[in-house]
């Protein structure tokens, strides 16, 4: 039989087989008792060699070979298979190369597909001959295996907008780190397959992780109050063993509470006057209390009994146990530090301060740190009466604390600034105000920068449009001025045309008058010539007759002579007319040429005049259009200026709030027992926590209803604050991240088709976008409600291959995506339509990022390049090169257009949108898979093949931490 051609049916085009491949392929004679099962027996090798071009997203020739039903349906040339007639089925004909120019798959195809083996062809033939039976679909059961211990590469990283938490994935495990303290707060085998994408919500309380056919959401529990003791006292202290909480205040009573239960065990009448300071001994067996009446007392924590009592030479404002517990120190208004034995016998007097002693704290091994109203901090040896070192606080000291390991100490001055010091007295950090008011001010400032740039952009647009309007008006002037000369030329050409026409008419008339006579003479000559010829023929005829008739001949000769004479006369008459006719014709021809030239010139002049009119109309229309654009541009400037004005006011208000927060007095501070956290508190009724290493802000705790007078840490990590209203409030400060919900099931029927490669939250936190899809078969973008996990919208057919990167514009109106199809596209979320397509990468687009103003899009590609696009026009603005391997991520970090990029050539770079290098972040050791930055761009994180999560300060490029894989 003759096989029909179906070049468009199987694969993109028919490629002639090589000499080695010519001729049919052998088909094995496969014998089976049981029917061939399509899913089990055929689909695996069809998937390897056919489905790359014949699937739902790439149906070459209209043929999809993913299921028997689709093969029966066929493509542009008809059914792909004919049940029970394998040799008549187009699929087998092509696969077996039964006709050389129809051989499939094509040689050197991009999908690396190979010819089917004889056994595979035999199975395909047998299945068709058996009737191409369709079996119920069998869902393949994935046999999950534990990951090797050696695997630990980081494929994705994320950081909360406030820079507090960083997340990374190592294979299928999810890690979350609290950056200010360096504590790992989540280490979870979150997915069965590797985690390819991570994203934090805008408020930093929700983390999304993307795995195989599923997304999981993890929620951070708020730091709520652990307990509140309503009738405690403004002073609080916790015993070193963590079993007791002591509270006291103005009534002179001290309560001992069991900790952490918060139950009153003892009430001690410490003094008739107000208790001003109290501390547990290092062994937790004793409680020292100082009162406003100068009394100093010791109490047993076991039973609340009095152990000793003494009176200080001056009012006491502070006290501290030395680390060995054998000595107690007090300080007050007399500017002297008094030491006491553990039985309250007077000891040494440490002199040196020139102002009141306001704060004391122990320092190992057996030293004491003091703070004074003279603005100095001094360090004392217990057995020496002179200080061994001092630090200038530059403001009267109101409180101090020493970190348990002795490597840091902190001071608060009358200027309300908390300072962190190294053990050698060098500055380690400065803490002031409220973290959230500062964050809000920074956000307002970024918004102001964006709006300032927007005003500049709109103003420049007005300038450019004004120039266009000037050009348009100039065009109107020039085109209008051109009408006069063209009209004059048209009139001249019209006159010349009319004159030529008038001159031609008499010549036409003269020629017309002679034409009938000339025609008549021509016709007469023809008749005469014909008669003469006829007469001569008659003479010849008569002469040839036998016998000849002489009389007839003579008559015929005479007649021929007459006819010849008549012909000569007609000829002479015609010859006489020819000069006259020629003269008339020549005259007409000359005038006709002049007429034609004049007519052509007139038409051209007419066209030129019409073009001039059209040009004026077009110029006027252009002027009208540009005038409208100018009005719109000016209105946009006005609107932008109004927005900028509002942004400036908001920034001013936010900055004032920062200033106001910095004016609020700080009354107390304390270090946690794990050396990670410093707490400060004061008259703002809040407790602030900071990094005990560098002073970075951590959290602001609400709860107290009055000014906070004291703070203390329990060994278990709880923080207790005592307020002026006598209430004590306690919190647990360890952040807790817990699994919230899953989107998708991880199973074949999951709404997510394959691995989730990209995640992005909208900036209002109401949407979570997922990107993925089956490799080489189609891209998948879906929008979900992160609150309930419900599908909000499917965005089909945006990409033809796996989606690798997603980002919402800052106004949440647009969603940008990049994919393995080498394209970046922008979808209008109101309509779901693609509004921009950016083509230029020669390999996968791995990451996309919007600039803060939404006018620029950055794309990072596996072609070792970052491309910068004008999102308003779709034009490419810049190629950023200098990468030797894939650029795996790109993110804008500030309103000025700085970006952070990671790449496979061991680089994490800060670059500007115009391609300038800002900073190369240090100590990057391997292929970097992902990078991210906080909202203010000051904290950067990155991870890669070596499994180390690196953290930097982008301000100075300094490394802030490195986190390796923790024990599973």
């Amino acid at each position: 039989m003759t096989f029909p051609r179906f070049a468009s049916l199987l694969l993109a085009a028919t490629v002639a087989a090589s000499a080695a491949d010519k001729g049919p392929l052998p088909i094995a004679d496969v014998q089976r008792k049981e029917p061939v099962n399509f899913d089990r027996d055929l689909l695996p090798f069809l998937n390897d060699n056919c489905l790359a071009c014949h699937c739902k997203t790439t149906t070459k020739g209209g043929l999809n070979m993913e299921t028997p039903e689709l093969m029966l349906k066929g493509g542009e040339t008809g059914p792909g298979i004919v049940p029970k007639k394998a040799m008549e089925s187009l699929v087998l004909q092509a696969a077996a190369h039964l006709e050389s120019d129809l051989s499939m798959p094509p040689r050197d195809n991009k999908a690396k597909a190979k010819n089917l083996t004889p056994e595979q062809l035999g199975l395909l033939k047998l299945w068709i001959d058996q009737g191409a039976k369709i079996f119920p679909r069998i869902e393949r059961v994935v046999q999950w295996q534990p990951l090797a211990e050696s695997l630990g590469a980081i494929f994705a990283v994320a950081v909360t907008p406030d820079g507090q938490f960083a997340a990374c994935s190592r294979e299928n495990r999810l890690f979350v780190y609290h950056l200010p303290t360096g504590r790992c707060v989540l280490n979870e085998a979150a997915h069965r397959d590797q985690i390819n994408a991570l994203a934090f919500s805008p408020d930093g309380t929700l983390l999304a992780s993307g795995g195989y056919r599923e997304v999981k959401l993890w929620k951070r529990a708020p730091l709520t109050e652990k307990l509140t003791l309503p009738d405690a006292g403004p002073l609080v202290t916790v015993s070193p063993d963590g079993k007791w909480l002591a509270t006291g205040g103005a009534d002179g009573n001290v309560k001992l509470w069991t900790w952490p239960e918060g139950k009153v065990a003892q009430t001690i009448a410490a003094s008739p006057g107000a208790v001003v300071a109290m501390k547990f001994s290092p062994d937790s067996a004793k409680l020292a209390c100082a009162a406003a009446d100068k009394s100093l007392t010791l109490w047993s924590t076991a039973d609340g009994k009095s152990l000793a009592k003494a009176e200080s030479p001056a009012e006491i404002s502070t006290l501290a146990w030395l680390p060995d517990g054998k000595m107690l120190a007090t300080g007050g208004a007399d500017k002297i530090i008094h030491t006491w034995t553990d039985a309250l016998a007077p000891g040494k007097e440490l002199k040196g301060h020139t102002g009141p002693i306001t704060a004391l704290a122990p320092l190992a091994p057996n030293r004491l740190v003091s703070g004074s109203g003279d603005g100095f901090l001094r360090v004392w040896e217990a057995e020496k009466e002179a200080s061994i070192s001092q630090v200038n606080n530059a403001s009267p000291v109101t409180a101090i604390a020493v970190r348990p390991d002795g490597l840091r100490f902190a001071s608060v001055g009358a200027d309300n600034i908390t300072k962190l010091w190294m053990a050698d007295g060098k500055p380690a950090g400065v803490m002031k105000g409220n973290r959230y008011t500062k964050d809000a001010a920074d956000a307002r400032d970024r918004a102001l920068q964006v709006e300032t740039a927007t005003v500049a952009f709109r103003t420049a647009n007005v300038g450019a449009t004004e120039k266009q309007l000037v050009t348009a008006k100039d065009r109107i002037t020039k085109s209008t001025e051109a009408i006069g000369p063209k009209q004059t030329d048209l009139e001249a050409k019209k006159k010349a045309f009319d004159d030529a026409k008038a001159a031609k008419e008499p010549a036409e008339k003269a020629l017309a008058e002679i034409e009938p006579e000339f025609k008549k003479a021509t016709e007469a000559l023809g008749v005469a010539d014909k008669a003469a010829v006829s007469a001569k023929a008659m003479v010849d005829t008569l002469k040839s007759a036998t016998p000849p008739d002489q009389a007839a001949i003579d008559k015929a000769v005479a007649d021929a002579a007459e006819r010849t004479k008549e012909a000569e006369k007609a000829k002479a008459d015609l010859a006489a007319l020819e000069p006259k006719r020629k003269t008339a014709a020549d005259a007409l021809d000359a005038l006709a040429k002049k007429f034609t030239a004049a007519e052509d010139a007139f038409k051209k002049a007419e066209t030129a005049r019409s073009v001039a009119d059209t040009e004026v109309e077009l110029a006027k229309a252009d002027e009208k259009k540009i005038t409208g654009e100018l009005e719109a541009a000016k209105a946009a400037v006005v609107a932008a200026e109004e927005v900028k004005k509002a942004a400036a006011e908001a920034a001013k208000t936010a900055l004032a709030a920062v200033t106001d927060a910095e004016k609020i007095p700080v009354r107390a501070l304390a270090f946690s027992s794990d050396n990670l956290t410093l707490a400060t508190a004061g008259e703002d009724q809040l407790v602030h926590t900071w990094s005990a290493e560098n002073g970075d802000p951590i959290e602001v705790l609400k709860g107290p209803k009055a000014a906070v007078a004291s703070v203390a840490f329990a060994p278990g990590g709880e923080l207790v604050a005592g307020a002026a209203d006598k209430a004590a409030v306690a919190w647990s400060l360890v952040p807790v991240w817990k699994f919230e919900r899953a989107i998708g099931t991880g199973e074949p029927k999951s709404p997510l088709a394959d691995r989730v490669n990209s995640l992005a939250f909208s900036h209002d936190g109401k949407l979570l976008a997922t990107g993925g899809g089956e490799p080489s078969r189609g891209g998948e973008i879906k929008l979900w409600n992160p609150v309930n996990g419900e599908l909000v919208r499917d965005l089909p057919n945006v990409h033809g291959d796996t989606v690798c990167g997603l980002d919402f514009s800052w106004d949440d109106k647009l969603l940008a995506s990049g994919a393995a199809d080498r394209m970046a596209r922008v979808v209008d979320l109101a309509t779901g339509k693609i509004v921009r397509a950016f083509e230029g990468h020669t390999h996968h687009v791995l990451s996309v990022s919007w600039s803060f103003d939404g006018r620029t899009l950055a794309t990072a590609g596996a072609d070792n390049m970052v491309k910068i696009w004008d999102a308003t026009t779709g034009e490419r603005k810049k190629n950023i090169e200098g990468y030797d391997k894939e650029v795996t991520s790109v993110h804008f970090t500030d309103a000025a257009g700085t970006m952070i990029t990671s790449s496979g050539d061991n680089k994490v770079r800060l670059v500007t949108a115009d391609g300038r290098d800002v900073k190369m972040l240090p100590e990057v050791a391997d292929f970097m898979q992902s990078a991210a930055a906080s909202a203010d761009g000051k904290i950067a994180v990155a991870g890669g093949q070596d499994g180390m999560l690196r953290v930097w300060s982008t301000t100075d490029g300094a490394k802030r931490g490195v986190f390796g894989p923790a024990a599973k």
Side-chain angles (χ1 to χ4, degrees), residues 638-651:
V638 173
E641 287 177 337
E642 286 297 318
V643 174
K644 177 187 173 183
K645 182 179 178 182
E649 287 297 321

Short mmCIF file of all heavy atoms in Angstrom, two decimals, residues 638-651:
data_model
loop_
_atom_site.label_atom_id
_atom_site.label_comp_id
_atom_site.label_asym_id
_atom_site.label_seq_id
_atom_site.Cartn_x
_atom_site.Cartn_y
_atom_site.Cartn_z
N VAL A 638 1.33 66.19 38.82
CA VAL A 638 0.58 66.74 39.95
C VAL A 638 0.19 65.62 40.91
O VAL A 638 0.36 65.74 42.13
CB VAL A 638 -0.66 67.50 39.46
CG1 VAL A 638 -1.54 67.91 40.64
CG2 VAL A 638 -0.25 68.73 38.66
N ALA A 639 -0.32 64.52 40.33
CA ALA A 639 -0.72 63.39 41.17
C ALA A 639 0.49 62.80 41.89
O ALA A 639 0.42 62.47 43.09
CB ALA A 639 -1.40 62.31 40.31
N ALA A 640 1.60 62.67 41.16
CA ALA A 640 2.81 62.11 41.77
C ALA A 640 3.32 63.03 42.87
O ALA A 640 3.79 62.56 43.92
CB ALA A 640 3.89 61.91 40.71
N GLU A 641 3.24 64.33 42.65
CA GLU A 641 3.68 65.27 43.68
C GLU A 641 2.79 65.19 44.92
O GLU A 641 3.28 65.33 46.05
CB GLU A 641 3.70 66.69 43.11
CG GLU A 641 4.86 66.93 42.14
CD GLU A 641 4.83 68.31 41.52
OE1 GLU A 641 3.73 68.90 41.47
OE2 GLU A 641 5.89 68.78 41.05
N GLU A 642 1.50 64.96 44.69
CA GLU A 642 0.59 64.81 45.83
C GLU A 642 0.95 63.55 46.62
O GLU A 642 0.98 63.56 47.86
CB GLU A 642 -0.86 64.74 45.35
CG GLU A 642 -1.42 66.07 44.89
CD GLU A 642 -1.47 67.09 46.02
OE1 GLU A 642 -1.85 66.71 47.15
OE2 GLU A 642 -1.11 68.26 45.78
N VAL A 643 1.22 62.47 45.87
CA VAL A 643 1.61 61.23 46.54
C VAL A 643 2.94 61.43 47.26
O VAL A 643 3.13 60.96 48.39
CB VAL A 643 1.71 60.08 45.51
CG1 VAL A 643 2.26 58.82 46.18
CG2 VAL A 643 0.35 59.80 44.90
N LYS A 644 3.87 62.11 46.59
CA LYS A 644 5.16 62.38 47.22
C LYS A 644 4.98 63.23 48.48
O LYS A 644 5.62 62.98 49.50
CB LYS A 644 6.08 63.09 46.22
CG LYS A 644 7.42 63.48 46.82
CD LYS A 644 8.22 64.34 45.88
CE LYS A 644 9.49 64.87 46.55
NZ LYS A 644 10.25 65.77 45.66
N LYS A 645 4.10 64.22 48.38
CA LYS A 645 3.85 65.09 49.54
C LYS A 645 3.32 64.26 50.70
O LYS A 645 3.76 64.42 51.85
CB LYS A 645 2.85 66.18 49.16
CG LYS A 645 2.55 67.17 50.28
CD LYS A 645 1.57 68.23 49.80
CE LYS A 645 1.23 69.21 50.94
NZ LYS A 645 0.24 70.22 50.49
N ALA A 646 2.36 63.37 50.39
CA ALA A 646 1.80 62.51 51.43
C ALA A 646 2.88 61.58 51.99
O ALA A 646 2.96 61.35 53.20
CB ALA A 646 0.64 61.69 50.88
N ALA A 647 3.73 61.07 51.07
CA ALA A 647 4.82 60.20 51.51
C ALA A 647 5.80 60.97 52.38
O ALA A 647 6.32 60.43 53.38
CB ALA A 647 5.53 59.59 50.31
N ALA A 648 6.06 62.21 52.02
CA ALA A 648 6.98 63.03 52.81
C ALA A 648 6.41 63.30 54.19
O ALA A 648 7.13 63.26 55.20
CB ALA A 648 7.26 64.35 52.08
N GLU A 649 5.12 63.58 54.25
CA GLU A 649 4.47 63.81 55.54
C GLU A 649 4.50 62.54 56.39
O GLU A 649 4.77 62.59 57.60
CB GLU A 649 3.02 64.27 55.34
CG GLU A 649 2.89 65.70 54.84
CD GLU A 649 3.43 66.70 55.85
OE1 GLU A 649 3.23 66.51 57.07
OE2 GLU A 649 4.10 67.66 55.43
N ALA A 650 4.22 61.41 55.73
CA ALA A 650 4.26 60.14 56.46
C ALA A 650 5.67 59.85 56.95
O ALA A 650 5.86 59.39 58.08
CB ALA A 650 3.77 59.01 55.56
N ALA A 651 6.67 60.13 56.11
CA ALA A 651 8.06 59.92 56.51
C ALA A 651 8.44 60.85 57.66
O ALA A 651 9.14 60.44 58.61
CB ALA A 651 8.99 60.14 55.32
#
